[in-house]
Amino acid sequence: MLPQVVVLIAGGAFIGPLVTRVGLDKAAWLSAGAVVCGLAVYGLLGRFGYVWVALALVLVVAGMRVAGGSGSRAGARGVPSPRCTLYGRPRVHPVVPGPGPGTKTLPKPFDD
């Protein structure tokens, strides 16, 4: 567990510059490769000592940390901004039929 905790805490210093340097899509591919390599190291060399298990944990956790950040960013980027509260309150003003001809707009629920 210690290698995972160290990588999660210290990884923040490296992940931001990595994503800035290579871009979001390439960082996601690199993180997926790190996870696969970590699982391969664990599967092939894990029985030969704790060093290999620790290396596998470091690779998997580093890959998952980058994948989590890039995945949440890509998910937020895919939602239209008027429907997403991540970028502020939605600006939807309902229109209801009024008593006379035409329609009447309800008062705005938010202070603009």
Side-chain angles (χ1 to χ4, degrees), residues 19-96:
V19 172
T20 304
R21 183 173 300 145
V22 300
L24 190 62
D25 294 330
K26 193 164 189 168
W29 280 104
L30 289 172
S31 69
V35 170
V36 170
C37 287
L39 293 174
V41 167
Y42 180 75
L44 296 173
L45 303 172
R47 68 183 134 224
F48 296 118
Y50 182 71
V51 174
W52 297 110
V53 174
L55 177 64
L57 288 173
V58 166
L59 287 171
V60 170
V61 170
M64 292 302 295
R65 178 131 161 89
V66 176
S70 63
S72 64
R73 198 173 206 183
R77 190 173 47 184
V79 176
S81 60
R83 301 281 182 221
C84 179
T85 59
L86 191 68
Y87 300 109
R89 295 183 300 229
R91 302 291 186 202
V92 178
H93 304 294
V95 176
V96 296

